[in-house]
Amino acid sequence: MKRALITGITGQDGSYLAEFLLQKEYAVFGMVRRSSTENLSRIKHLLGRITLFQGDLLDQPSLISPLREVQPDEVYNLAAQSFVPTSWEQPIATTQYTALGVARLLETIRLECPHARFYQASSSEMFGKAAEVPQNERTPFYPRSPYGVAKTYGHWATVSYRESHHLFACSGILFNHESPRRGKDFVSRKVTDAVARIARGLATELRLGNLEARRDWGYAGDYVEAMWLMLQQDSPDDYVIATGETHSVRELVEIAFAAAGLDWKQYVVVDPTLLRPAEVELLQGDYTKARRQLGWKPTVSFRDLIEMMVKADLEQYQRSAKSEAA
Ligand code: NAP
Ligand code: F7E
């Protein structure tokens, strides 16, 4: 039985990856940081089938004993401060979690379990003010936020440990990926949650920032398979994971409201306070290398993804209304 350790298991991707690895009959270990209230909603259906331990990427000693004891075959580093606007409000904390956290983990792996295969959750935000369209593994990085800068550090730390210490370390450059489990701050879920609340009479407007920004949005369930595939290859490498399509926030909004039979123009208010100090205007990934070498491709279209999220949010508010009425 292979053993996998996931940091950030309580997050969107961590929950899908844990499910995926359990299906592959892995023993799954997850690192969670202490909080005063339980924060396991995305993985509560897996409790009993996974082993959790407390650890924090800010605290290197807390990484040592789990890695020493578990001796994982694979480590997936998904933990990060992942919300881009917060990275301007808390640039130092973001650097500590999202950049130096990678160095702490890599160094602990080098010392405690150097044979473990390592996956780093890198991001299309590293392309930032993109030098070319679409972006591939050779496109230069030009990050536009403290988050993007921190992820760029994590990417190069991963490459450096691969080249200097011969760790089997891979960097997955993943473009935006969403699901009904996405946090409600991110634009896709912010929109689908608001659509459901408006449809159920619980809200009357949705305030958004830049409607013209374009992203390459895919389904998180597809993307965790790519993470695993990277660690099954004969040699470590870096891969862009994307759909190859780009859509604007405006298109996302139109599809989401229409999925509930609503006209978005009656509800959406553009709020200048939600504009970013430096925007990433256009992302579109070229996943040719992943398709050729990993045999990976996305399976959920942009429209189906947004409609899936609206449906899930509508159902959730319906369930809450029923349980309140009972
Ligand atoms: P997410 O839902 O925000 O989850 C982040 C996870 O990191 C949570 O489990 C969080 O724990 C944990 N975490 C944060 N700081 C930590 C610390 N100091 N020590 C231990 N754990 C910590 O993010 P996601 O969407 O699943 O993304 C997973 C990873 O992929 C992140 O690194 C993200 O930056 C990267 N990424 C995401 C996308 C995307 O579109 N989703 C694209 C490219 C890259 P708590 O539950 O305690 O907060
Ligand atoms: O914004 C625009 C915003 O916050 C997408 C993270 O997972 O993907 C994610 O980062 C776009 C931006 O994601 C609102 O200006 C308009 O252009 O959903 P988002 P992100 O910043 O692209 C990358 C790949 C990651 O690695 C990150 O961890 O939508 N936008 N109005 C808005 N965005 C938000 N959040 N809220 C708005 O009201």
Side-chain angles (χ1 to χ4, degrees):
M1 201 181 211
K2 276 196 182 174
R3 300 157 80 81
L5 189 151
I6 304 172
T7 74
I9 195 168
T10 57
Q12 170 189 258
D13 291 6
S15 67
Y16 282 109
L17 180 63
E19 275 169 17
F20 178 87
L21 293 173
L22 285 170
Q23 276 168 18
K24 296 257 174 223
E25 303 198 331
Y26 277 62
V28 175
F29 299 81
M31 191 180 93
V32 294
R33 55 181 172 167
R34 202 199 104 67
S35 69
S36 57
T37 45
E38 197 182 83
N39 179 23
L40 304 176
S41 59
R42 291 187 180 105
I43 51 170
K44 63 176 182 291
H45 59 296
L46 304 177
L47 299 177
R49 298 168 64 205
I50 57 181
T51 306
L52 298 181
F53 60 87
Q54 271 187 21
D56 196 310
L57 286 184
L58 293 186
D59 185 67
Q60 185 143 16
S62 74
L63 306 177
I64 294 171
S65 68
L67 285 168
R68 186 178 294 166
E69 279 162 32
V70 172
Q71 288 296 317
D73 299 287
E74 297 170 11
V75 176
Y76 295 85
N77 183 32
L78 309 186
Q81 191 302 95
S82 71
F83 189 48
V84 172
T86 296
S87 77
W88 278 288
E89 286 158 17
Q90 300 181 10
I92 309 302
T94 301
T95 305
Q96 282 287 351
Y97 294 122
T98 306
L100 290 177
V102 186
R104 291 187 193 98
L105 189 56
L106 279 165
E107 187 58 12
T108 312
I109 290 171
R110 182 179 79 78
L111 295 169
E112 300 295 342
C113 52
H115 300 297
R117 295 184 170 206
F118 176 79
Y119 172 83
Q120 167 58 16
S122 295
S123 167
S124 52
E125 282 294 297
M126 302 187 306
F127 296 124
K129 193 172 178 180
E132 59 183 353
V133 181
Q135 298 87 41
N136 62 37
E137 294 78 5
R138 294 173 306 285
T139 304
F141 299 140
Y142 190 151
R144 297 271 279 165
S145 64
Y147 170 82
V149 172
K151 281 288 176 188
T152 306
Y153 174 94
H155 169 83
W156 285 118
T158 303
V159 173
S160 169
Y161 270 71
R162 178 167 78 218
E163 294 179 354
S164 324
H165 300 300
H166 310 294
L167 293 194
F168 192 110
C170 301
S171 171
I173 307 174
L174 271 52
F175 283 61
N176 299 51
H177 46 280
E178 320 293 314
S179 74
R181 297 183 199 170
R182 186 62 142 150
K184 290 184 184 176
D185 284 336
F186 300 94
V187 76
S188 62
R189 186 78 195 288
K190 181 175 175 181
V191 171
T192 63
D193 177 73
V195 164
R197 282 188 293 114
I198 291 168
R200 300 284 178 232
L202 301 170
T204 53
E205 70 168 27
L206 167 61
R207 303 185 84 79
L208 290 174
N210 181 4
L211 298 185
E212 308 315 325
R214 301 183 73 85
R215 290 289 184 278
D216 179 329
W217 278 289
Y219 172 54
D222 285 343
Y223 286 39
V224 298
E225 183 187 14
M227 298 175 188
W228 175 77
L229 283 168
M230 287 179 214
L231 299 197
Q232 312 314 309
Q233 304 306 300
D234 291 338
S235 51
D237 208 342
D238 308 321
Y239 298 89
V240 160
I241 301 298
T243 70
E245 289 182 21
T246 187
H247 298 275
S248 65
V249 174
R250 183 184 297 270
E251 285 173 74
L252 187 161
V253 166
E254 280 170 7
I255 291 173
F257 277 81
L262 298 169
D263 175 5
W264 69 277
K265 291 191 182 117
Q266 291 180 21
Y267 303 100
V268 171
V269 176
V270 172
D271 180 344
T273 66
L274 294 171
L275 298 176
R276 298 180 178 187
E279 178 63 282
V280 170
E281 300 290 350
L282 166 62
L283 290 176
Q284 181 175 10
D286 172 0
Y287 68 97
T288 307
K289 179 175 172 184
R291 182 166 48 76
R292 290 205 182 124
Q293 293 187 25
L294 305 178
W296 180 88
K297 63 175 180 0
T299 67
V300 179
S301 72
F302 175 62
R303 175 176 291 278
D304 287 350
L305 171 65
I306 302 308
E307 290 178 350
M308 173 209 299
M309 292 173 68
V310 170
K311 184 164 176 276
D313 279 325
L314 282 168
E315 285 170 359
Q316 194 211 304
Y317 282 105
Q318 193 165 26
R319 275 196 303 276
S320 327
K322 271 193 192 150
S323 65
E324 271 167 31

